[in-house]
Amino acid sequence: MKALTAAEMREVDRLTTERFGIPSLQLMEAAGRHTAEAVLGEFAPEIPSRVVFLCGKGNNGGDGFVAARYLRAAGAGVRLFLFGGPDQVRGDAAENLRRWQEAGGGVSVVKDTATWDAAWPDVAGAEVIVDALLGTGLRGPAEGLIAQAIGDVNRLSRDATAPAPRLVLAVDTPSGLSSDGELAEGPVLRAHQTVTFTAPKIGQLLAAGAAAVGALRICQIGSPAGVVEEVGQSNIRLAEPLEFAALPLVRAADAHKGSFGHVLLVCGSLGKSGAAVLAGRGALRAGAGLVTVAVPDVVLPGVAAAQAEYMTEPLASTDAGTASLASLSYGRFSRLEEGKSVMGIGPGLGTHQETQQLIRTVVRDTRLPVVLDADGLNAFVGRAEELCGSEVRPLAITPHPGEMARLLGSSGDAVQSDRLRAAQEAARRWNAVVILKGFHTLVAAPEGTVFVNASGNAGLAKGGSGDTLTGVLAALTAQFGTKDWARVLALGVYLHGRAAELAARGIHGRGDRAAETVGIADCCRIW
């Protein structure tokens, strides 16, 4: 799904009405209904008793009026605060304000600091705060009274002594966040969840303040997907299920293990054998037909015992317990590559000088697609010009920001300040698919397409997550090949993040905002 700018989103709405006869009032109704359903879904089977809506005068406030009406009809206790006079509300928003009032809903007008201070006890005591202040059409920073409200809500969420709301939900986009990705000069409301409509906005995926979006939920309100594809001019796409619908995801009834490829993983060393175990487990759980894990001979027994399903091959060891160049002698490694579909190399191999030379030689000489991670990337620090994918040897690299900075001869801060540019530049320079890990992992193809992944949670922020991902990416490559490789790899990143989300729900029931306690083992159980 393409990500849109604010102007492109307005054009999609206009064309939806002009070409397909769907009135803008109907689009707003659908947006508000989806917002209410998102709130109810978080509390089901209960109904929240204290929901506060903070509404602006524009269409974002109009979406809020609709959602408030639906929640009130469902039995929720709703208070609505309007920042501005009712006479300042225009168009579809005014019509929905009228419907809210006709349904018996009250309106508390917030016109200055005094009225906001009077409203604050109700806001601070709410189970749910719905942010419908500023929408995607925002130009410039949030200012004045709205900026004060944003700051107060943010402080409430961070105050350990206060009963923080169970849910802060932003309608369409968090107030103050630029839809087009520019750095926000004013405050941005930090939401637990954002319900946006039709398509993601570029700023929600790539802006410096995109973490304020929280969990991003995209709801369809009536605009055909073809209009989004027509209007959107960027090559930025959200990694979501429909992006992968064309892949052969359904297995044939007569399939066998040979149908799903043979993954070769070159991983592990003395003290880091767990990396090989996790990578192998990720490959198995992601559906590879066969998995061979090649590890230094000194750690092979432990790795082999960790998972009965995969095969193991010994590599000659250095005195430090890492893979030795002797592994290349007499064509041993070439024979190891025979019959394999893809190679994942790097997790836990270590930075021993001889091992790093082995990595560079293997990556240079192989004719298999390569997924290069961790210590595999470290082998090319200062020698990044040797990273070069080709039709004969397609290459994917999976750096976190620090690894990317070392490869580019830059700094982590520089990479993080413009992740999109860093990923696209590296993909072009090295003719490789670049998977720049982190919050909203980017999957950048050499021709410029970028998939942005929004699945996952803080449970993945621990050692072992990347090792598992390497196995997942290799397994999907073995099954689907490299013809549309960036999309295949984006599927792997999406599923890896989704596994963490499901693991959190399995441990914590609803799973909301408790994901920081989810371990990589929990994600592997999901796989």
Side-chain angles (χ1 to χ4, degrees):
M1 178 185 297
K2 279 187 177 179
L4 302 178
T5 65
E8 288 169 347
M9 188 64 246
R10 289 192 295 273
E11 179 66 4
V12 167
D13 286 344
R14 186 187 70 81
L15 291 176
T16 299
T17 298
E18 182 180 288
R19 292 182 183 174
F20 301 96
I22 301 176
S24 58
L25 190 63
Q26 183 176 326
L27 297 176
M28 184 174 286
E29 184 75 12
R33 175 173 51 81
H34 280 296
T35 300
E37 289 171 352
V39 173
L40 293 172
E42 286 291 307
F43 283 78
E46 302 171 10
I47 301 292
S49 60
R50 299 185 309 280
V51 182
V52 164
F53 278 79
L54 306 179
C55 295
K57 299 174 291 186
N59 285 340
N60 196 240
D63 296 337
F65 304 149
V66 176
R69 172 161 44 87
Y70 275 98
L71 283 173
R72 187 173 184 274
V78 178
R79 287 291 308 274
L80 191 150
F81 295 94
L82 174 61
F83 284 65
D87 59 325
Q88 297 175 294
V89 181
R90 301 282 188 269
D92 294 342
E95 172 60 20
N96 278 305
L97 177 59
R98 183 187 65 78
R99 292 180 182 181
W100 162 252
Q101 291 174 311
E102 286 184 350
V107 177
S108 299
V109 175
V110 178
K111 59 182 180 181
D112 51 31
T113 299
T115 50
W116 172 243
D117 289 343
W120 180 245
D122 285 323
V123 177
E127 292 178 277
V128 181
I129 298 175
V130 179
D131 165 30
L133 289 167
L134 302 171
T136 58
L138 173 69
R139 294 184 178 87
E143 297 176 331
L145 193 58
I146 287 181
Q148 180 183 343
I150 291 171
D152 288 343
V153 172
N154 287 345
R155 281 189 292 275
L156 177 66
S157 296
R158 293 193 299 265
D159 186 355
T161 66
R166 287 176 60 180
L167 176 65
V168 177
L169 185 142
V171 179
D172 209 6
T173 202
S175 290
L177 181 69
S178 166
S179 293
D180 298 347
E182 292 93 347
L183 181 65
E185 297 179 359
V188 177
L189 190 138
R190 299 186 65 84
H192 297 136
Q193 184 180 142
T194 296
V195 178
T196 199
F197 311 117
T198 304
K201 315 310 178 287
I202 288 174
Q204 294 169 346
L205 303 180
L206 296 173
V213 169
L216 181 62
R217 176 171 178 168
I218 301 165
C219 297
Q220 297 306 316
I221 60 174
S223 297
V227 177
V228 174
E229 293 296 318
E230 173 190 342
V231 172
Q233 297 301 304
S234 79
N235 50 14
I236 299 166
R237 306 188 70 88
L238 176 68
E240 46 87 30
L242 286 177
E243 283 291 327
F244 313 119
L247 295 175
L249 300 173
V250 179
R251 295 190 164 192
D254 60 350
H256 53 84
K257 62 187 178 184
S259 304
F260 306 114
H262 191 161
V263 171
L264 171 62
L265 296 170
V266 184
C267 308
S269 60
L270 191 63
K272 296 181 179 178
S273 59
V277 173
L278 288 169
R281 194 168 293 164
L284 285 170
R285 300 293 176 88
L290 294 165
V291 177
T292 293
V293 184
V295 295
D297 49 22
V298 295
V299 300
L300 187 143
V303 172
Q307 192 76 34
E309 293 93 331
Y310 51 61
M311 297 170 283
T312 53
E313 289 284 350
L315 301 174
S317 298
T318 65
D319 292 341
T322 65
S324 163
L325 276 170
S327 303
L328 302 176
S329 301
Y330 307 108
R332 292 169 59 187
F333 201 92
S334 295
R335 288 193 295 275
L336 184 58
E337 292 177 298
E338 291 176 0
K340 308 303 190 296
S341 309
V342 60
M343 182 194 305
I345 181 169
L349 280 173
T351 56
H352 188 286
Q353 183 176 356
E354 188 174 337
T355 306
Q356 298 274 279
Q357 186 177 344
L358 168 72
I359 293 168
R360 290 191 295 271
T361 303
V362 167
V363 172
R364 181 193 66 208
D365 293 345
T366 189
R367 291 299 179 263
L368 296 175
V370 172
V371 179
L372 187 67
D373 183 39
D375 290 325
L377 298 168
N378 289 330
F380 290 89
V381 173
R383 315 175 66 131
E385 71 280 356
E386 297 179 31
L387 285 171
C388 187
S390 67
E391 290 185 7
V392 175
R393 195 275 324 275
L395 176 65
I397 66 172
T398 63
H400 58 58
E403 290 165 337
M404 177 66 93
R406 290 194 290 274
L407 289 171
L408 292 173
S410 181
S411 68
D413 287 343
V415 169
Q416 290 293 78
S417 68
D418 195 343
R419 287 168 52 82
L420 178 64
R421 182 195 59 77
Q424 288 182 312
E425 177 185 315
R428 286 192 299 267
R429 181 186 301 180
W430 302 322
N431 191 33
V433 179
V434 173
I435 300 157
L436 180 55
K437 294 185 288 195
F439 176 74
H440 286 180
T441 290
L442 305 182
V443 181
E447 75 275 8
T449 299
V450 177
F451 294 92
V452 184
N453 182 65
S455 71
N457 54 41
L460 292 173
K462 52 177 56 68
S465 296
D467 305 326
T468 303
L469 178 61
T470 296
V472 171
L473 298 178
L476 294 179
T477 301
Q479 293 168 77
F480 302 134
T482 59
K483 183 178 180 181
D484 193 7
W485 202 18
R487 192 179 305 273
V488 170
L489 297 173
L491 171 62
V493 174
Y494 171 80
L495 292 175
H496 184 249
R498 185 68 180 136
E501 294 172 353
L502 294 175
R505 284 190 169 86
I507 293 170
H508 302 290
R510 291 196 2 253
D512 53 333
R513 293 170 296 284
E516 66 274 7
T517 63
V518 180
I520 188 63
D522 303 310
C523 298
C524 284
R525 283 202 295 271
I526 296 296
W527 280 106

